[in-house]
Amino acid sequence: MVVTTMLTYIFPPPPSLFVTAMTVISFTSSANLGLSELRGKHLHYSKFWNSGSKTSAAKKIKLSSRTGMLIAYNPAFLAGVASFVLYPQESIRILLLCSALTIHFFKRIFEVLFVHNYSGGMNLDVVSAISLSYFLYTAAVTYAQYLAQGFPEPSVDLKYLGCLLFLIGISGNFYHHYLLSKIRSKGDKDYKIPKGGLFGLVICPHYLFEIVEFVGISFISQTLYAFSFTIGSALYLIGRSCATRRWYLSKFDHFPKNVKAFIPFVL
């Protein structure tokens, strides 16, 4: 019954050990990171880049945030570009998927170069982990889509709704990144409470729109792996958003208590 219902919305899982393993690993690792964020053990980037033990942090290789993020996003962007060559574009679905992934990571690189104002740094081990995660995601989701081309289409076609959600998500994410970039003047390293857009309702609307974007990609793909990655990423970003809200509450006495972490009026 459950399997039959799932196959209404997704392609049957391909007989691939790589895709099956990545489906499990992507979900469990991202969900575990989300729990770690809630427990106060953060990935060391953005405002949490130097959290934790100062002794162990001193032994790690440090990069500027701009350099670190370029390293994090470029392999995934190149994998997206390569997918147009590696996989024959036999259906509109795989063309839309490869296009969405490539646009997504191109936009991230563009933001790193021209939008974001960075004040901290990143450790090389964190950069490497993020870069590998995004690269494997892009490689696995396009490969899973390529393998799914031989199966019957799901009876409920979500790809065009997925395109709409992707455009809403990427636009909302970019807009709130732009607002964040305008909070501080060049050279100013002090954090301030974000304003504008949905920042009056949630502290991390850019994360919320990022999940909308990934939901859109999952709807375009309609593979189990795509949904697994999106659910895992949502759990991580919810944990990160809750940790960020706690950080603002600890730093600013006048931080508005009605501003939620991730979902307006709810969470």
Side-chain angles (χ1 to χ4, degrees), residues 4 6-12 90-96 144-160 218-223:
T4 303
M6 286 178 60
L7 293 179
T8 303
Y9 300 97
I10 65 172
F11 288 95
E90 296 175 358
S91 70
I92 186 65
R93 188 186 296 276
I94 195 168
L95 176 61
L96 290 172
Q145 198 68 53
Y146 169 69
L147 295 178
Q149 287 187 120
F151 295 116
E153 287 274 329
S155 54
V156 177
D157 187 354
L158 299 174
K159 63 178 178 287
Y160 295 115
S218 297
F219 279 16
I220 293 171
S221 175
Q222 291 190 244
T223 59

Side-chain angles (χ1 to χ4, degrees), residues 34 37-39 42 48 203-204 207 235-249 260-263 267:
E37 293 287 342
L38 289 173
R39 293 168 181 160
H42 310 296
F48 299 114
I203 196 58
C204 294
Y207 288 166
L235 293 174
Y236 166 67
L237 290 176
I238 288 172
R240 186 80 174 183
S241 297
C242 291
T244 300
R245 185 176 184 273
R246 285 201 304 263
W247 184 89
Y248 274 102
L249 284 169
K260 300 297 184 180
F262 191 74
I263 302 174
L267 176 63

Side-chain angles (χ1 to χ4, degrees), residues 7-201:
L7 293 179
T8 303
Y9 300 97
I10 65 172
F11 288 95
S16 166
L17 180 60
F18 170 69
V19 174
T20 302
M22 287 303 302
T23 300
V24 176
I25 291 170
S26 292
F27 174 78
T28 54
S29 60
S30 297
N32 184 60
L33 285 173
L35 288 174
S36 295
E37 293 287 342
L38 289 173
R39 293 168 181 160
K41 187 177 180 181
H42 310 296
L43 273 185
H44 294 172
Y45 67 92
S46 187
K47 57 184 60 62
F48 299 114
W49 83 274
N50 60 351
S51 63
S53 171
K54 302 295 183 182
T55 304
S56 61
K59 298 177 181 178
K60 295 182 178 180
I61 300 173
K62 296 181 177 63
L63 304 171
S64 70
S65 290
R66 198 176 307 278
T67 299
M69 286 303 183
L70 286 175
I71 294 173
Y73 297 142
N74 266 290
F77 169 68
L78 294 175
V81 173
S83 66
F84 290 99
V85 178
L86 292 174
Y87 306 122
Q89 308 296 305
E90 296 175 358
S91 70
I92 186 65
R93 188 186 296 276
I94 195 168
L95 176 61
L96 290 172
L97 177 65
C98 294
S99 299
L101 290 166
T102 305
I103 291 169
H104 170 76
F105 288 107
F106 173 80
K107 172 250 186 193
R108 289 199 166 189
I109 293 169
F110 177 86
E111 289 175 333
V112 171
L113 292 173
F114 302 110
V115 177
H116 294 312
N117 287 324
Y118 294 106
S119 61
M122 296 182 73
N123 293 328
L124 181 59
D125 58 342
V126 174
V127 172
S128 300
I130 295 172
S131 182
L132 181 62
S133 172
Y134 283 137
F135 173 78
L136 288 175
Y137 163 64
T138 307
V141 76
T142 51
Y143 182 55
Q145 198 68 53
Y146 169 69
L147 295 178
Q149 287 187 120
F151 295 116
E153 287 274 329
S155 54
V156 177
D157 187 354
L158 299 174
K159 63 178 178 287
Y160 295 115
L161 175 59
C163 289
L164 176 61
L165 290 174
F166 173 78
L167 292 174
I168 293 171
I170 199 169
S171 300
N173 180 262
F174 178 82
Y175 174 63
H176 288 91
H177 279 168
Y178 172 77
L179 292 179
L180 283 173
S181 74
K182 296 301 177 184
I183 291 176
R184 295 177 298 195
S185 57
K186 201 165 185 178
D188 183 5
K189 295 190 176 183
D190 292 330
Y191 278 96
K192 297 177 175 64
I193 298 175
K195 296 179 180 179
L198 293 183
F199 281 114
L201 298 175

